[in-house]
Amino acid sequence: MKQAIRILAIIGSASKNSSNEQLMTHIQRFAGDHIEWTFIPDLKIFPHFDPEQSATLPPEPVGTMRQQIADADAVVISTPEYVFSIPSGLKNLIEWTVASTVWDQKPCALITASAHGAKGHEELQLLMRTVGARFNAATCLLVHGIRSKMNEAGELSDLQLRQSLSDLMAGLEALIHQSHPIP
């Protein structure tokens, strides 16, 4: 029997039932039974970043999150762009990991789904490269006009986006297998 791929999903939006959360739900639905998902859907559980505390005694939610990243075979981040940047909650989560090595060569898929998103997507890639995450063009996706690609029920109505998400997950699985083959 094939071992499940463990993926940690991080949703960067501060809003409940956001387009990014709906997008992640769609990915989870079509990704297949061979993937075991863990979600960090609410970034509000993390206190404001404190560099001294991060290095010596991180708060319990931070320690748990770091362990979840370390235990995952890969991480998928889906985030909107806020004011030409990533949301502060996602930036805070990343800052809490800087004093660790949890991202070192960790396979990642990076999705920015927003009205525009180009600047936020660029920033997300820069930050993840800085912390040592592993990703490539096949595991990065910028989705312009995300709301126009979903119906009122939050389901994807854009066939090209569905294909792009499928391609992204195939690219992530290839990156995972390059890092460490899963039996």
Side-chain angles (χ1 to χ4, degrees), residues 7-16 18 20-21 24-25 28 36-47 60-72 74-80 89-90 92-94 96-97 102-103:
I7 294 183
L8 177 65
I10 300 172
I11 299 163
S13 178
S15 303
K16 291 285 183 209
S18 68
N20 280 273
E21 185 176 345
M24 196 71 83
T25 299
Q28 181 187 20
E36 179 182 299
W37 293 87
T38 302
F39 281 78
I40 300 179
D42 188 359
L43 302 181
K44 296 173 190 168
I45 65 169
F46 302 108
E60 186 275 326
V62 172
T64 299
M65 173 264 299
R66 287 179 180 174
Q67 192 60 54
Q68 288 175 311
I69 294 169
D71 291 345
V75 177
V76 177
I77 299 173
S78 185
T79 186
L90 180 56
N92 187 52
L93 178 145
I94 295 168
W96 275 113
T97 65
V102 296
W103 294 110

Side-chain angles (χ1 to χ4, degrees), residues 47-59 62-63 65-66 92-100:
H48 186 70
F49 175 65
D50 178 337
E52 288 81 26
Q53 195 177 19
S54 180
T56 57
L57 186 61
V62 172
M65 173 264 299
R66 287 179 180 174
N92 187 52
L93 178 145
I94 295 168
E95 287 175 346
W96 275 113
T97 65
V98 171
S100 72

Side-chain angles (χ1 to χ4, degrees), residues 18-30:
S18 68
S19 298
N20 280 273
E21 185 176 345
Q22 293 168 352
L23 191 63
M24 196 71 83
T25 299
H26 175 78
I27 294 170
Q28 181 187 20
R29 236 182 276 138
F30 81 77

Side-chain angles (χ1 to χ4, degrees), residues 64-142:
T64 299
M65 173 264 299
R66 287 179 180 174
Q67 192 60 54
Q68 288 175 311
I69 294 169
D71 291 345
D73 294 313
V75 177
V76 177
I77 299 173
S78 185
T79 186
E81 174 185 78
Y82 290 167
V83 194
F84 303 109
S85 183
I86 64 171
S88 61
L90 180 56
K91 177 80 165 46
N92 187 52
L93 178 145
I94 295 168
E95 287 175 346
W96 275 113
T97 65
V98 171
S100 72
T101 58
V102 296
W103 294 110
D104 189 36
Q105 294 300 301
K106 180 66 64 179
C108 291
L110 307 176
I111 304 166
T112 304
S114 205
H116 299 288
K119 292 289 186 188
H121 196 55
E122 184 180 311
E123 180 183 22
L124 178 60
Q125 291 177 62
L126 174 63
L127 292 171
M128 297 311 293
R129 193 174 298 111
T130 301
V131 295
R134 227 167 121 227
F135 56 92
N136 56 37
T139 64
C140 290
L141 180 61
L142 174 58

